[in-house]
Amino acid sequence: MNGEQIQNMLTEKGFIDEPVDASVKLVEEINRLKKEKNAVILSHYYVDGELQDIADYVGDSLGLSQAAAETTADIIVFVGVHFMAETAKIINPSKKVILPDLKAGCSLADSAPADKFAAFKAQYPNHKVISYINCTADLKTLTDVICTSANAVKIVESFPKDQPLIFAPDKNLGNYINSITGREMILWDGACMVHEKYSVEKIVDLMDQHPDAEFIAHPECEKPVLLLAKYIGSTTALLGYVQKSASKKFIVATESGILHQMVKACPDKIFIPAPSIDSTCGCNDCSYMKLNSLQKLYICLKHELPEIILPEDVIQKAQLPIRRMLEIST
Ligand code: 13P
Ligand code: SF4
């Protein structure tokens, strides 16, 4: 396939749809290319298990951005979604950052277009802006400090109590942090399409069926779901919790990819994905995260495409709030 054909395909599909011979051993080839090109593979907990197992680092949004900031590799292959790869490029602009499928987006990031947010922010000239890392690079340029679900409380509390704040784009995480910190942050009206779909009724039924199970949830879930939870935390915090808890059974309200690590860490425990309002399979998958595959990862490493390219001024401006987050988080 020539360069022009690849470019057209990237524009149309977001990934290189090149046939791969069945004899190619994808895992072996990915590892070979990774070594040859001095690349590092960073995978989020929400991608398929085989893509977590092949990673040099698997983690939550905070851990992945710290890993991206520290890597000495020449190429960062981000097996996750677009805003994560963009964040890696912003904090490490001299590296080539590639993503197996450019169309791996995020409903939260999409919910806050930078132009609309700028108009919203202009109504609150005395407010500082904290943005959840699940947002576009353009939104990051309008932000004072970035946070993730793992460090949101710490970031919010780094501001004086009398400093008025705007929190974007996730209203559910923002509401939860308001309830913990006693702040009254102004919230942008965004949500994650996976975490807002859990069914309270079905969860209550499941809890009745499994009275020995603990219900745990990610703070991107809506308030009625969080009120049922014994423990609320980021993906890494949830993973840590199931290892420490004496319970043997858990109902887990976050994207089902995390169950791969939970089962690996606690093979003697049982993990039940929390049901969503419209799923028949009983689990919630992020269709964007699930756009990643071993085949796309292999082709992406082979061609070093699709690559994340950002304007220099966006990198410069968006870097500041991410650096502030990394400093406050250490
Ligand atoms: P964390 O990785 O910070 O737990 O966030 C979950 C998520 O929704 C990532 O898209
Ligand atoms: Fe975005 Fe939700 Fe998917 Fe995370 S799980 S990438 S927040 S849509």
Side-chain angles (χ1 to χ4, degrees):
M1 201 176 294
N2 65 33
E4 195 184 325
Q5 285 169 321
I6 289 177
Q7 206 45 53
N8 289 341
M9 197 171 275
L10 287 177
T11 310
E12 193 193 323
K13 289 183 185 274
F15 64 98
I16 304 171
D17 194 7
E18 186 175 271
V20 176
D21 194 278
S23 64
V24 173
K25 294 192 172 82
L26 291 174
V27 172
E28 267 175 37
E29 275 305 291
I30 289 166
N31 283 323
R32 185 187 63 76
L33 286 168
K34 191 181 80 172
K35 230 180 180 169
E36 183 184 300
K37 294 171 184 253
N38 188 28
V40 65
I41 299 178
L42 308 181
S43 295
H44 190 270
Y45 287 136
Y46 292 168
V47 298
D48 287 336
E50 58 190 6
L51 292 165
Q52 297 185 35
D53 291 342
I54 206 167
D56 297 291
Y57 180 86
V58 55
D60 68 357
S61 308
L62 177 61
L64 289 167
S65 49
Q66 286 166 331
E70 285 159 16
T71 186
T72 53
D74 295 317
I75 300 177
I76 298 172
V77 193
F78 220 112
V79 187
V81 294
H82 193 268
F83 78 79
M84 295 177 173
E86 246 183 11
T87 305
K89 181 69 187 174
I90 292 164
I91 41 184
N92 224 332
S94 64
K95 310 284 179 199
K96 181 180 269 190
V97 179
I98 53 179
L99 177 73
D101 190 328
L102 274 184
K103 292 202 171 159
C106 169
S107 66
L108 257 178
D110 291 346
S111 74
D115 55 342
K116 292 209 171 70
F117 184 76
F120 174 79
K121 181 183 164 178
Q123 296 171 50
Y124 305 99
N126 298 323
H127 287 57
K128 298 279 185 201
V129 176
I130 300 177
S131 294
Y132 192 31
I133 199 164
N134 302 35
C135 65
T136 61
D138 287 336
L139 199 91
K140 288 182 174 80
T141 67
L142 300 169
T143 296
D144 293 290
V145 190
I146 292 295
C147 74
T148 74
S149 52
N151 61 19
V153 171
K154 199 172 182 185
I155 301 290
V156 169
E157 290 187 333
S158 71
F159 286 92
K161 279 232 168 320
D162 57 354
Q163 171 61 58
L165 299 168
I166 293 173
F167 189 86
D170 188 2
K171 64 179 173 192
N172 293 317
L173 177 63
N175 255 319
Y176 173 66
I177 302 299
N178 272 346
S179 73
I180 292 207
T181 59
R183 306 266 176 150
E184 290 178 351
M185 297 188 292
I186 306 275
L187 308 179
W188 178 263
D189 186 16
C192 160
M193 63 180 192
V194 176
H195 290 88
E196 70 176 351
K197 279 211 193 119
Y198 289 107
S199 159
V200 171
E201 290 74 21
K202 288 186 191 172
I203 291 170
V204 170
D205 279 354
L206 205 55
M207 289 167 83
D208 286 344
Q209 286 167 40
H210 301 276
D212 52 337
E214 283 188 57
F215 175 59
I216 59 174
H218 194 282
E220 285 176 26
C221 296
E222 291 181 327
K223 190 172 178 183
V225 171
L226 295 182
L227 286 173
L228 295 172
K230 167 92 185 288
Y231 180 77
I232 297 165
S234 71
T235 43
T236 298
L238 294 176
L239 181 58
Y241 182 78
V242 300
Q243 293 174 71
K244 273 187 268 143
S245 166
S247 295
K248 291 279 179 210
K249 209 189 257 186
F250 301 86
I251 299 167
V252 183
T254 193
E255 215 270 2
S256 62
I258 187 67
L259 267 59
H260 180 68
Q261 295 298 330
M262 289 179 171
V263 170
K264 267 173 94 170
C266 310
D268 58 326
K269 298 191 179 185
I270 295 167
F271 301 98
I272 308 169
S276 79
I277 41 177
D278 60 2
S279 76
T280 45
C281 70
C283 62
N284 264 338
D285 278 350
C286 172
S287 51
Y288 292 120
M289 288 280 183
K290 271 24 185 196
L291 284 176
N292 291 285
S293 68
L294 269 185
Q295 174 152 335
K296 284 183 192 168
L297 170 57
Y298 162 64
I299 296 170
C300 162
L301 246 175
K302 184 175 158 194
H303 293 286
E304 300 178 23
L305 284 169
E307 186 182 354
I308 301 292
I309 307 281
L310 287 167
E312 194 50 41
D313 62 322
V314 171
I315 290 182
Q316 292 303 326
K317 280 193 214 150
Q319 215 175 64
L320 296 172
I322 303 173
R323 292 252 167 249
R324 280 187 203 119
M325 171 188 81
L326 293 173
E327 277 158 26
I328 297 169
S329 304
T330 51

